[in-house]
């Protein structure tokens, strides 16, 4: 049996990607208004966004560990992919933005 079977681990990977994307929402809520110059930068808002994202990611890992420990590696890989894809998109938007 291969170490990673896409048919077996695909659903955990997909759910991890979705949760990773969802976990980036609190950070986006802190960053996007600053980028749009709607509000000023706030360390408190940024840290709350980081904390909320961490809690979402951590709770997801704990739930998967309790319900399906065999799918944990695929789930965490999916979380990382989803989280980083969202932030790569934000970075590209910031770079492409012209004032």
């Amino acid at each position: 049996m291969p170490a990673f079977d896409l048919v077996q681990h695909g659903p955990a990977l997909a759910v991890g990607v979705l949760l990773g994307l969802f976990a980036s929402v609190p950070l986006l809520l802190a960053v996007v208004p600053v980028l749009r110059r709607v509000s000023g930068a706030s360390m408190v808002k940024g840290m709350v966004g980081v904390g909320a994202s961490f809690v979402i990611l951590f709770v997801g890992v704990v739930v998967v560990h309790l319900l399906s420990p065999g799918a944990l590696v695929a789930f965490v890989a999916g979380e990382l992919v989803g989280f980083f894809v969202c932030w790569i998109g934000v970075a590209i938007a910031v770079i492409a933005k012209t004032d």
Side-chain angles (χ1 to χ4, degrees):
M1 182 171 146
F4 184 80
D5 183 19
L6 188 58
V7 173
Q8 181 182 1
H9 293 101
L13 188 67
V15 171
V17 169
L18 292 175
L19 191 69
L21 292 171
F22 179 71
S24 63
V25 170
L27 289 171
L28 288 173
L29 292 175
V31 170
V32 170
V34 174
L35 294 175
R36 290 186 177 164
R37 294 189 180 11
V38 174
S39 68
S42 168
M43 181 66 80
V44 173
K45 289 180 187 176
M47 293 307 292
V48 168
V50 168
S53 291
F54 175 77
V55 167
I56 292 168
L57 293 170
F58 183 72
V59 168
V61 168
V62 169
V63 168
V64 170
H65 175 68
L66 293 174
L67 297 179
S68 180
L72 186 61
V73 173
F75 177 78
V76 170
E79 273 189 336
L80 290 172
V81 167
F83 195 71
F84 287 134
V85 162
C86 185
W87 281 100
I88 289 170
V90 170
I92 290 170
V94 169
I95 291 169
K97 183 179 177 180
T98 57
D99 274 338

